[in-house]
Amino acid sequence: MRRNPALYRANITMLLLCTLSMYYLLVSPLVPYNFDVNSSGGMGLFIAAHQAMTIVVAAIGIRLNVLADRDVQLTRETFRRMRRRGRRY
């Protein structure tokens, strides 16, 4: 199967977008926790939270990019069938 270079670029862009979004979300006043970045524990907690949130959101975004590349129309019914079958689509 030949890889689509446009899909590769879209996935890299999605990863960068999710990384920046999660950073700005964590430093914004929307998150009620203040990370003490002057200590190693606070910086480690910030980095761990940032990486965990980025991985989750980027995985969802990349999955949606792949489905869009395959011209899959995602509706409630197709989403239920996809979840029952176990990610084969």
Side-chain angles (χ1 to χ4, degrees):
M1 185 166 127
R2 188 168 176 248
R3 299 206 182 249
N4 186 356
L7 179 62
Y8 179 75
R9 282 191 301 273
N11 288 340
I12 294 297
T13 305
M14 177 64 70
L15 182 63
L16 292 173
L17 176 69
C18 292
T19 301
L20 287 173
S21 299
M22 291 305 105
Y23 172 77
Y24 285 114
L25 177 70
L26 284 175
V27 297
S28 73
L30 294 173
V31 177
Y33 185 78
N34 290 328
F35 296 96
D36 182 19
V37 293
N38 292 327
S39 70
S40 60
M43 183 58 97
L45 185 61
F46 178 80
I47 291 172
H50 177 258
Q51 292 297 316
M53 291 172 65
T54 299
I55 288 169
V56 169
V57 174
I60 293 169
I62 289 172
R63 178 70 177 156
L64 290 174
N65 275 348
V66 170
L67 290 175
D69 185 56
R70 294 180 187 167
D71 291 328
V72 173
Q73 291 184 354
L74 196 59
T75 62
R76 287 183 184 176
E77 185 57 36
T78 58
F79 184 72
R80 277 191 216 118
R81 279 188 286 159
M82 184 174 64
R83 291 206 43 182
R84 277 191 219 131
R85 284 194 285 186
R87 295 195 175 209
R88 283 181 289 137
Y89 209 86

